[in-house]
Structures are given as structure tokens and as C-alpha cells.
Amino acid sequence: MSKIILGIESSCDDTSAAVVSDGILLSNVIASQKVHEAYGGVVPELASRAHIQNIVPVVSEALRQAGVSKEQLSAIAFTRGPGLLGSLLVGTSFAKGLAIALQIPVIDVNHLHGHVLAQFVRTAETDEVPEFPFMCLLISGGNSQIIMVKSPSDMEILGRTIDDAAGEAFDKCAKVLGLPYPGGPHIDRLAAEGDPHRFKFAKPHIPGLDYSFSGLKTSFLYTLRDNLRKDPDFITNNIADLAASLQHTIIEILLDKLDKAVKEHPVKQLAIGGGVSANSGVRTAIERFCAERGIRAWIPPRSFTTDNAAMVAIAGYFKLLEGDYASLDLPPYSRVTI
């Protein structure tokens, strides 16, 4: 009998539901929230309200696209955290209520585990997946981590950001440039037109494998301040070069620590995950980095890099195989390490 799992993701501003059957993705539906664009960032209360409006139609559409009835479900996986607590409460409560009605188990998923295990989302056309162990560079709006992935349930953090994450650096600098939210994709687009060596920004000197991006952000702001005093149109006239130089510096910071990590912990496979792994410059740099070292690169399709329920469903599928179910009294959490 097939093991069919419904995944629900509601950690931030995307409401998503996906269906996985025996490890194969049947559907992945995402409802994005445009309401936050006017505020230059996610407004938690508005996000929670939008999740309440979206979750029923999103789940219904995921089941319809998968050709699966709710009575066929073996379990329901939901993102328990980390994320915005109000948003997580919507997904958690819905998953528990539906599971009670169907008398099937619920499975809690760590959002960061989901990003790492997105490498294992398979479709009818693609079935290649990494072999354990492998290293993963997790880069998103709130997290930058280097992780040794020994199994779906055994992950060791080798290094993490001590302040801002790579995604925050992209979005915060983009906001100062006057770009719409989220700023990361706009930086990526502009960077393709600019000179990555035009401006030099500070790079951190943090011991070990930990990251820091706050100094880069400060250096970026000082560059703008000093030049705007001389030329009020400095940003307008140099925005592509600023974007390209910012992206180039962030990638250098990521790869400097990654190079140190693979020397200290030799691996044959390296994966990336999280929203920043959709960045064109990052994807190209990782491919080159791995090719130069004889490492197999695993770069997920862009559709599985941002917050989505496919990664929640596949992470839940692994736990389903192990019989690792959640108690109905488990609350969501806003912060946690991997």
C-alpha cells in the first residue's frame, strides 16, 4: 500500500501544500503574499491572516492536482519551526485538526531540515538524489549554515552565522538601494549587468567555520553615504555595479568558509539549499567550486529553494518511514538550531 503524505508549510509569508507518494512528488502548490511589498518586509500579523485565508484552498488544490483524496493520506507533515509564530500556528493547527478528523498521524518538520532534504524531492522524471553523507550549504533569509548531513535525522552544524544571514544582507542592502521587497532577486538581476569588481566591501575575519555578514552590510552603507555626499545620483548611476559587487562579495564570503570546511571535512558531494541558493551567481559559483575539487554538486531546482511544502512532505516522508510521529500537544517554535 502506498505511503501518501500531505506536507504543509506556513513558516513565513508563503502558504504551501504538497503531496508525496512513496517519495515521489505529486503536487506542490504555493500561495505567495503580495501584501508585504508595500512595507518592505514581512508583517507578521498580516502574514498570519493571509495564511488563514489561503490554507484551505491551497490544501484542496494540492490534493486535486495529486489526484488524491484526503481519505488516502497516510500522514500529515507540518512545519513546526523555526519561523513566525503566528504563521506557524495556522499550519500547525490545521494539520492537527485534519489529522484528528482523518484519524491519521501528524509529523513535525524542522524548517531547516526541509531545506536540506529538498535535494530528495523526486518527480516521475527525475530520481537522482545525493548519497549520505554529504555537506550542505544552507543559505536563506535567516540562516547561513554549513552542515554535515549523515542521514535524514542526523545533521551536524559545522558553521553558522553569528549575526546576519546571507539573505538578510541581500535584502537589507537592496532596500537601501530602493529596490522592491524581496530584494535578493532584484540584486541578482542587476548583478548580471554590472561590474563585480567596481566596489570593494569589507569581508569578515571570523575564526572557524562561522559566518558574519553584518560588517559587509555596514561597509556597503558607508560606501553609499560617502559617495552620495559627492553625487546625489550615485545610486541611480551605479546601481548595477553596486549590485554586482555586493553579490560578488557575499559569494566570496560563502566560498571562503566552504573551502575551509571541505578541507577539514572531505566530502564527495556538496549540496546547497535555502532561498539564496536560487541566486544565479551562487549557483554558478558552487558549480565551479565543486568542479575544481572533484566534488559532485547538488543544486536543487529553483522551485524547491524557496519556502515550499514539497520539502516539508519529503522530510516528513523520511520520518514516516521511521515511525517518528508527533504528539498532538506539540507547540510550534520560532527559533531553533538544526
Side-chain angles (χ1 to χ4, degrees), residues 31-33 41 43 63 86 104 168 215 220 286 303:
S32 298
Q33 301 175 8
V43 181
L63 291 172
I104 57 176
E168 288 176 293
F220 186 83
I286 289 294
S303 57

Side-chain angles (χ1 to χ4, degrees), residues 80-202:
R80 187 182 169 205
L84 300 175
L85 198 56
S87 295
L88 290 165
L89 276 168
V90 176
T92 299
S93 301
F94 183 89
K96 291 177 180 178
L98 183 58
I100 291 172
L102 297 174
Q103 296 185 327
I104 57 176
V106 289
I107 299 171
D108 65 307
V109 171
N110 181 313
H111 181 75
L112 305 184
H113 281 193
H115 276 306
V116 173
L117 297 175
Q119 308 292 336
F120 293 87
V121 175
R122 295 181 294 149
T123 65
E125 293 78 29
T126 61
D127 60 0
E128 274 198 307
V129 295
E131 295 180 359
F132 298 104
F134 64 92
M135 188 177 290
C136 181
L137 175 63
L138 175 59
I139 35 177
S140 65
N143 297 276
S144 294
Q145 299 178 343
I146 300 174
I147 305 161
M148 183 62 76
V149 186
K150 303 173 185 177
S151 77
S153 58
D154 187 1
M155 304 184 193
E156 177 187 1
I157 297 177
L158 304 178
R160 60 162 65 89
T161 183
I162 62 173
D163 44 55
D164 286 352
E168 288 176 293
F170 274 122
D171 287 340
K172 290 178 180 179
C173 291
K175 186 174 182 179
V176 176
L177 292 176
L179 298 173
Y181 175 84
H186 296 285
I187 293 289
D188 191 20
R189 172 180 54 80
L190 288 166
E193 306 168 5
D195 179 0
H197 305 290
R198 171 79 185 284
F199 299 101
K200 300 295 182 183
F201 303 120

Side-chain angles (χ1 to χ4, degrees), residues 8-12 14-16 51 79 84 87-92:
I8 295 175
E9 157 62 19
S10 67
S11 64
C12 191
D14 287 327
T15 312
S16 182
H51 282 304
T79 300
L84 300 175
S87 295
L88 290 165
L89 276 168
V90 176
T92 299

Side-chain angles (χ1 to χ4, degrees), residues 58-88:
V58 165
V59 168
S60 297
E61 180 62 15
L63 291 172
R64 187 195 69 79
Q65 289 186 15
V68 170
S69 70
K70 59 183 182 295
E71 289 77 18
Q72 292 176 277
L73 296 175
S74 306
I76 301 174
F78 65 94
T79 300
R80 187 182 169 205
L84 300 175
L85 198 56
S87 295
L88 290 165

